[in-house]
Amino acid sequence: MRLDKLLAHSGLGTRKEVKKLMKTKIVKVNGEVVTDPKVHVEPDQDQVSVGGEPLDYQEFVYFMMNKPQGVISATEDLMHETVLDLLEMQDSLQEPHPVGRLDIDTEGLLILTNDGKLTHRLLSPKKHVDKLYYAKVEGVVTEADVDAFKEGVTLDDDYHTLPADLEIVSIDEERQLSEIRLTIREGKFHQVKRMMQSVGKEVVYLKRLSMGPLELDDKLELGTYRELTKEEIRQLKEA
Ligand code: URA
């Protein structure tokens, strides 16, 4: 990686600011002053210091966000705010991206990282990583629906889903409303909403609670995020 990029990604300023900083001869690589921003370094092997302090650089960043409604889980959008707009400047330096998508009106757990390998593993259709959702649904969910979901259901495009675990949390017969928890092992477009539609029910509120071993931290307010712990990262990598 170019030294100016490494320094910029470590939060020392823009590329331009970093170049200026280097001219003051306070940046050293393996003990030698370096003023050329184009010099290449190996972040894992080379010792980079600024003003005598070793550089705190992490190649990969991992965050969990409690995504609010009204925000798009993409890296850019012309009309709406994206989840990246919710990140502090410092946390967007290494260009994390959302792992998979939640609909604009879905809340809950979203992982953001620049670790492409982990993203690929978590989203790979072959890996069948569990995703747990909580939903409020119009209509009365029945044991027959639970049984149907165990076999997988057929969506509006004739796709037959993998078996899914549907759990009835509460039923309000009077208001014709149900609360459910649903675990799915794939990630088709609008999958939870379309699965409920296949049994004649409409999702009116949807929140993701977990992805593989990672559970949404209930201390995270909507629209906020935190770094994953080392243990959480380890568990996700093993998922
Ligand atoms: N299923 C949906 O229908 N929407 C989501 O956002 C996630 C899963």
Side-chain angles (χ1 to χ4, degrees), residues 12-230:
L12 287 169
T14 60
R15 286 274 187 100
K16 213 168 146 190
E17 286 164 350
V18 159
K19 273 179 202 158
K20 265 196 193 160
L21 190 77
M22 292 184 71
K23 283 201 183 121
T24 67
K25 302 191 175 174
I26 62 166
V27 176
K28 287 186 181 173
V29 178
N30 302 324
E32 299 287 328
V33 170
V34 178
T35 52
D36 178 0
K38 293 193 293 296
V39 160
H40 277 253
V41 287
E42 288 293 335
D44 299 344
Q45 291 159 27
D46 292 317
Q47 302 288 322
V48 181
S49 68
V50 179
E53 290 291 317
L55 195 69
D56 177 23
Y57 175 77
Q58 283 170 286
E59 185 178 9
F60 296 123
V61 290
Y62 305 87
F63 303 109
M64 78 154 77
M65 177 181 284
N66 186 359
K67 178 195 169 296
Q69 294 185 6
V71 175
I72 307 259
S73 47
T75 45
E76 50 190 3
D77 190 88
L78 292 176
M79 304 268 287
H80 297 94
E81 217 182 359
T82 73
V83 288
L84 295 189
D85 297 324
L86 300 178
L87 296 181
E88 301 281 335
M89 232 287 275
Q90 178 72 26
D91 294 330
S92 40
L93 291 171
Q94 277 161 280
E95 300 174 1
H97 50 257
V99 177
R101 290 190 170 215
L102 290 177
D103 297 335
I104 187 164
D105 56 356
T106 302
E107 294 177 356
L109 176 64
L110 189 67
I111 301 168
L112 295 124
T113 182
N114 56 350
D115 182 343
K117 209 162 132 195
L118 180 68
T119 304
H120 183 74
R121 282 176 60 97
L122 291 172
L123 297 182
S124 163
K126 289 190 205 122
K127 299 275 182 210
H128 300 162
V129 172
D130 282 6
K131 267 97 41 182
L132 171 64
Y133 292 87
Y134 163 86
K136 287 184 187 160
V137 173
E138 250 169 29
V140 172
V141 176
T142 62
E143 286 304 325
D145 297 334
V146 173
D147 290 342
F149 275 48
K150 265 186 210 148
E151 306 295 322
V153 289
T154 305
L155 303 182
D156 48 9
D157 57 359
D158 286 339
Y159 175 74
H160 196 79
T161 70
L162 289 175
D165 302 329
L166 175 60
E167 182 198 334
I168 301 172
V169 176
S170 78
I171 301 283
D172 184 338
E173 297 258 2
E174 213 170 293
R175 291 165 64 210
Q176 292 285 295
L177 273 181
S178 312
E179 284 179 293
I180 58 134
R181 284 155 66 97
L182 177 62
T183 304
I184 58 174
R185 301 182 172 89
E186 50 199 336
K188 302 285 172 206
F189 183 62
H190 295 331
Q191 181 155 351
V192 174
K193 292 173 185 165
R194 289 163 70 217
M195 286 180 85
M196 295 314 299
Q197 271 164 11
S198 78
V199 292
K201 276 101 196 171
E202 173 117 19
V203 171
V204 292
Y205 172 81
L206 187 59
K207 176 174 188 168
R208 182 155 63 196
L209 300 176
S210 66
M211 188 163 186
L214 187 67
E215 288 180 17
L216 177 65
D217 184 334
D218 57 13
K219 289 189 283 301
L220 276 184
E221 304 276 342
L222 278 171
T224 66
Y225 64 96
R226 68 158 170 81
E227 272 186 56
L228 293 188
T229 63
K230 284 207 171 70

